Amino acid sequence: MRLAFLIDDRFLFQIYGEGMFEIVNDKFIHISGTKNIPDVVSVVPSSDDNFYYFCSKGEVFKGNPSKRVVKIEMPEFIGLINQVIPLSDGTLAAGTQNNGLFILDKELNIIKHFTKNEGLSDRTVKALYEDDCHNLWVALNNGIDYLELSLPLTLINDDVGLEGTGYAAQAFKNDVYLGTNNGLFIQEDEYSELAKTYYKLLPGSEGQVYNFSVVGDELLLNHNRGSFQITNNKLIQFHDIGSWEFIETGNPDVIIGGNYQGMSFFNKKNNTWFKSGSIPDFTESSRILEYENDSTLWMTHGSKGAYRLILDENLNLKRKIEHFGIADGFPSNLMITVYSLNGKLIFTSERGIFNFNNGSNSFVPNEFFNKWLGKNHVSAIASGSNNVFYIQDQKFGRLSQENFGTYKIQTNLFRHINEFINDDLPNISIIDDNNVLIGAKEGFILYKPNKKYFIRKDFNVILKSVEIQASSDSIKKYNPTYIENSKFQKQQSFTFNYAAPYFDGYQYVQYSYRLLPLEAQWSNWSNSASKEYTYLPAGDYRFEVKAINIYGKESPVKTLSFIVVNPWYISNYAIAFYIIIIFIVIALILIFQKKKYVEENIQISKKSEKALKIKSEEINQLSLNSKMEIDRLNNEKLRSELNLKNDQLTTITLHHMNTNEFIQDIRKKIDLFIN
């Protein structure tokens, strides 16, 4: 036995050299015509109660146990096949060895081809799996890709032959026409599924397509090279000035065309249109035309405002063309465009949507749209059955009526496509109630409003790991499950890694977090899937994280509690120990100081006594010396005094002697006198 296959309740397998067998009532039933079938890699039921047998080298056979197996011719470029699985929508997914992934219809026609850099990151598809949301997981040679096949959104681009940026789309009779900056493309198959058919370029249409205009039972092409009739998928040019749009008049043989140089009249003769005149004295480029009523025609210009033309029954101007802009209620003259929604005109502007008030001859805000859409610029808008589709700020949205007076805005789903929307001349084309085409930078985006798509109800965020860095070269990673309420040292960095395993629009999943009690408020939503905290102070913490997906659904909050403690060397016990040691040290220091003080006092006393003794001896010696000096001085003083006294005595004596001599002399004189 090589491989076995379980198809519904039927068990099939292949035996080398014998072919395919089925087990029925515990018996091996050989499937006729399968003996020479090479290695079978997949068995898939077909739409007519047969089986497709896909072989590794690309051959495909069809049959069942009661019918002979026949070979089915497949395109050679499919190459080696690794696996084929049926998808929930009835198509088949075929993974190849060297040519990527093919989506096939029930008749094995190729619907879509994904290969490297065109939907896949590798060209070798090893295995396939369709999940519960009908999206496809693709195991590649290097990695896994995820294809969102269940979404009601599909890119129509060069994979199906459509090249260029999408500018206009039109369903006409049994065909759908798509216009890009490379030309006009039509379906090869008559009005088949828009995303499941190939498109071909209509010869002669090369260049910039702006619009399609349906006039009666004719389809006209508005092109940068002029105007064309499309007849039996052939182009007939009838005007050579860049054309924007055609609009019918009350006369089926007369139409008005907006072009680079104003507005012109075209008459029909012998099934051919030709220019018959122009709106006089008007040369503004006229891209958007809409009727207010049978006689009032509006034209809007992207940078100059709005123009109103009042026409009589002969399509002549009744009065001068009126211009409206910032002086007439608009916030500016820029980005003004007129649209007809369900027979009523609205005017988009740089800020908000407006209605024209005939009474005041000015523009007033449209309360309904401004209430639901706000005043940001709406660059394209179109209405269908109970739906309004719009592009606002380069984002697609859907406004739908749920009940009378109750509306719902849907924008989250379209985040899948916003980056692809044409940002030059955004456009929305409603083909029918279940096919809306949106101009894209590469082709078109097909939106199927009625297609049911699956949104997973379960949406959770998980904590993948916690990284704790104790030093510059030491990082430990923990499983959050095992560290709930664990204790960690202070002076460490914490990094929380989280994820929301929600693959539908996974690139739009965002996260918000907080760390209680440090952060009371949740953080702003962010795509970052990790958060780092450095050097948390000691305390009890709870980290909380939640996620929000592309549809605006929030996940339950995931929490992790943990404790940050001080290092052992600053723990309470350590601090108490430190205090005791400090007291002991202080006491020892005091004792040592006291002992030292005593010893120093003793030494000081001894030194003092010795010094005092020395001083005393010095004093005694000094006293003795002083006494001797005093005695010497006293003796000298006494001697001086004695000498002085002697001198004085000598002086007195001499004086007395002189006195005596004087007295004697006087006496002698007296005696002489007496005598």
Side-chain angles (χ1 to χ4, degrees):
M1 184 188 299
R2 183 178 177 274
L3 291 176
F5 309 95
L6 182 62
I7 312 300
D8 296 329
D9 295 327
R10 305 174 71 173
F11 187 79
L12 284 73
F13 59 91
Q14 185 181 29
I15 297 178
Y16 283 112
E18 298 294 332
M20 297 295 300
F21 290 81
E22 181 181 7
I23 297 179
V24 180
N25 297 324
D26 297 329
K27 294 181 180 180
F28 291 178
I29 306 298
H30 182 261
I31 299 176
S32 177
T34 63
K35 183 176 182 178
N36 296 322
I37 291 179
D39 296 346
V40 175
V41 293
S42 295
V43 179
V44 178
S46 67
S47 58
D48 53 0
D49 296 327
N50 286 295
F51 290 137
Y52 287 121
Y53 303 93
F54 291 90
C55 303
S56 62
K57 293 184 179 180
E59 301 98 328
V60 181
F61 297 84
K62 183 179 180 181
N64 64 27
S66 62
K67 295 182 181 180
R68 186 173 181 83
V69 173
V70 296
K71 186 175 182 179
I72 304 296
E73 294 297 327
M74 293 291 291
E76 293 183 0
F77 65 84
I78 287 182
L80 303 179
I81 296 176
N82 288 330
Q83 187 183 18
V84 179
I85 65 169
L87 301 179
S88 56
D89 62 355
T91 60
L92 305 177
T96 70
Q97 178 64 27
N98 298 307
N99 206 11
L101 172 70
F102 291 89
I103 305 297
L104 310 172
D105 64 15
K106 297 176 181 179
E107 285 70 41
L108 303 188
N109 298 309
I110 298 173
I111 299 172
K112 200 82 171 175
H113 180 208
F114 301 94
T115 186
K116 186 174 182 180
N117 299 325
E118 295 180 1
L120 295 180
S121 56
D122 194 280
R123 64 177 69 252
T124 300
V125 177
K126 295 290 189 180
L128 300 166
Y129 172 73
E130 185 183 30
D131 63 21
D132 294 339
C133 295
H134 306 316
N135 294 313
L136 190 63
W137 294 80
V138 185
L140 304 170
N141 194 45
N142 293 300
I144 298 174
D145 279 358
Y146 176 74
L147 302 181
E148 298 172 321
L149 299 181
S150 69
L151 292 176
L153 301 162
T154 307
L155 274 174
I156 302 175
N157 52 24
D158 55 4
D159 286 343
V160 291
L162 184 69
E163 299 178 353
T165 301
Y167 282 87
Q170 182 67 51
F172 185 73
K173 296 183 179 178
N174 294 322
D175 292 305
V176 171
Y177 297 82
L178 302 179
T180 75
N181 62 329
N182 286 338
L184 167 60
F185 293 81
I186 60 175
Q187 290 178 303
E188 290 186 349
D189 301 321
E190 185 176 283
Y191 199 66
S192 59
E193 285 285 332
L194 296 180
K196 297 180 180 180
T197 185
Y198 274 82
Y199 293 82
K200 61 183 180 181
L201 177 67
L202 194 63
S205 69
E206 293 83 359
Q208 174 71 62
V209 172
Y210 288 125
N211 204 357
F212 297 100
S213 301
V214 177
V215 176
D217 60 352
E218 287 188 79
L219 182 64
L220 305 182
L221 174 66
N222 303 100
H223 197 282
N224 75 311
R225 293 192 286 108
S227 307
F228 299 82
Q229 289 176 262
I230 304 174
T231 305
N232 297 324
N233 287 339
K234 293 183 180 179
L235 295 180
I236 302 173
Q237 186 169 8
F238 62 91
H239 195 223
D240 60 0
I241 296 177
S243 175
W244 293 113
E245 182 181 9
F246 288 104
I247 192 167
E248 295 178 305
T249 67
N251 185 340
D253 293 328
V254 179
I255 58 176
I256 300 175
N259 54 63
Y260 289 174
Q261 299 178 1
M263 286 181 278
S264 301
F265 295 104
F266 293 84
N267 287 58
K268 188 175 184 180
K269 186 176 181 180
N270 297 327
N271 293 323
T272 300
W273 295 98
F274 63 92
K275 181 180 176 181
S276 59
S278 298
I279 300 293
D281 302 322
F282 190 76
T283 58
E284 298 292 350
S285 180
S286 304
R287 189 170 73 88
I288 305 295
L289 303 175
E290 287 291 352
Y291 277 115
E292 180 182 345
N293 51 48
D294 292 342
S295 61
T296 303
L297 177 65
W298 286 92
M299 188 281 287
T300 54
H301 191 286
S303 61
K304 295 186 178 181
Y307 297 85
R308 182 170 68 167
L309 293 76
I310 307 296
L311 305 174
D312 62 18
E313 58 184 11
N314 295 318
L315 301 179
N316 295 317
L317 288 173
K318 284 187 176 181
R319 58 181 185 231
K320 185 178 179 181
I321 297 175
E322 299 170 278
H323 173 257
F324 298 87
I326 189 171
D328 305 292
F330 285 120
S332 72
N333 290 349
L334 303 175
M335 303 179 184
I336 296 172
T337 307
V338 60
Y339 294 94
S340 178
L341 298 184
N342 299 322
K344 296 182 180 179
L345 296 188
I346 64 166
F347 295 79
T348 63
S349 74
E350 191 176 20
R351 294 188 301 277
I353 296 178
F354 291 80
N355 294 332
F356 183 70
N357 187 310
N358 283 288
S360 63
N361 206 42
S362 63
F363 288 86
V364 296
N366 183 301
E367 299 296 337
F368 172 80
F369 283 113
N370 289 339
K371 171 185 176 181
W372 290 100
L373 303 184
K375 293 189 177 182
N376 289 349
H377 174 61
V378 174
S379 55
I381 191 167
S383 60
S385 301
N386 297 321
N387 290 302
V388 173
F389 306 101
Y390 61 91
I391 299 174
Q392 186 176 40
D393 293 336
Q394 198 58 23
K395 299 174 183 177
F396 188 81
R398 174 185 178 183
L399 177 64
S400 56
Q401 184 174 7
E402 293 186 325
N403 298 305
F404 181 77
T406 303
Y407 294 83
K408 177 183 178 181
I409 290 180
Q410 185 179 22
T411 58
N412 289 328
L413 169 67
F414 307 112
R415 293 176 68 183
H416 289 284
I417 63 167
N418 288 334
E419 61 181 303
F420 304 110
I421 293 176
N422 178 6
D423 55 3
D424 177 19
L425 294 175
N427 60 93
I428 302 169
S429 301
I430 300 176
I431 304 302
D432 54 42
D433 287 345
N434 196 37
N435 290 282
V436 178
L437 287 172
I438 307 153
K441 295 173 183 176
E442 294 183 6
F444 287 86
I445 301 161
L446 173 63
Y447 170 46
K448 301 183 79 65
N450 297 333
K451 180 180 178 180
K452 293 182 179 179
Y453 60 96
F454 296 84
I455 299 178
R456 281 178 52 191
K457 301 293 184 182
D458 56 320
F459 175 53
N460 297 288
V461 63
I462 60 173
L463 272 170
K464 297 193 301 181
S465 65
V466 179
E467 297 177 3
I468 301 178
Q469 183 174 358
S471 62
S472 59
D473 58 352
S474 175
I475 298 178
K476 294 182 179 180
K477 183 177 288 189
Y478 296 90
N479 185 327
T481 304
Y482 302 119
I483 61 171
E484 181 75 24
N485 295 318
S486 295
K487 295 181 179 180
F488 299 95
Q489 295 294 325
K490 193 179 177 184
Q491 303 299 319
Q492 294 178 333
S493 296
F494 292 79
T495 300
F496 299 90
N497 300 305
Y498 37 84
Y502 192 84
F503 296 97
D504 185 0
Y506 65 90
Q507 65 270 38
Y508 298 104
V509 173
Q510 294 185 312
Y511 304 92
S512 180
Y513 56 83
R514 65 180 178 181
L515 182 63
L516 298 173
L518 289 185
E519 299 167 333
Q521 301 298 323
W522 287 93
S523 69
N524 295 329
W525 292 108
S526 168
N527 294 108
S528 176
S530 66
K531 174 58 181 175
E532 180 181 9
Y533 293 93
T534 57
Y535 305 121
L536 292 173
D540 293 350
Y541 293 96
R542 186 170 78 249
F543 180 74
E544 298 182 344
V545 61
K546 60 184 178 179
I548 187 170
N549 63 21
I550 190 172
Y551 303 108
K553 177 179 174 60
E554 287 190 19
S555 71
V557 176
K558 183 67 176 179
T559 65
L560 174 65
S561 297
F562 61 98
I563 302 169
V564 174
V565 297
N566 289 319
W568 64 267
Y569 50 83
I570 58 172
S571 65
N572 292 335
Y573 294 107
I575 292 173
F577 176 75
Y578 298 151
I579 293 174
I580 293 172
I581 293 298
I582 289 171
F583 278 121
I584 292 173
V585 170
I586 292 173
L588 291 175
I589 290 173
L590 291 175
I591 293 172
F592 175 77
Q593 290 292 337
K594 184 176 181 181
K595 183 178 179 181
K596 183 178 179 182
Y597 175 75
V598 171
E599 290 179 352
E600 287 179 349
N601 283 340
I602 293 172
Q603 294 295 328
I604 291 171
S605 297
K606 290 180 178 180
K607 289 180 179 180
S608 298
E609 290 177 358
K610 184 177 181 180
L612 287 173
K613 185 177 180 181
I614 294 171
K615 289 293 183 183
S616 178
E617 291 177 353
E618 289 178 352
I619 291 171
N620 290 334
Q621 184 65 36
L622 183 60
S623 297
L624 179 60
N625 293 336
S626 297
K627 183 177 180 182
M628 292 175 65
E629 181 69 18
I630 291 171
D631 290 341
R632 186 184 65 81
L633 293 174
N634 287 332
N635 290 333
E636 289 181 356
K637 182 179 179 183
L638 290 175
R639 189 176 293 114
S640 297
E641 289 178 352
L642 180 60
N643 291 333
L644 179 62
K645 293 294 184 181
N646 289 332
D647 290 339
Q648 289 178 349
L649 180 60
T650 300
T651 301
I652 293 172
T653 301
L654 290 176
H655 179 71
H656 283 299
M657 289 177 65
N658 290 332
T659 302
N660 288 331
E661 288 178 358
F662 178 73
I663 293 173
Q664 287 296 329
D665 187 57
I666 293 297
R667 183 177 290 169
K668 287 177 176 181
K669 287 179 177 184
I670 293 173
D671 286 341
L672 288 177
F673 181 75
I674 295 174
N675 292 320

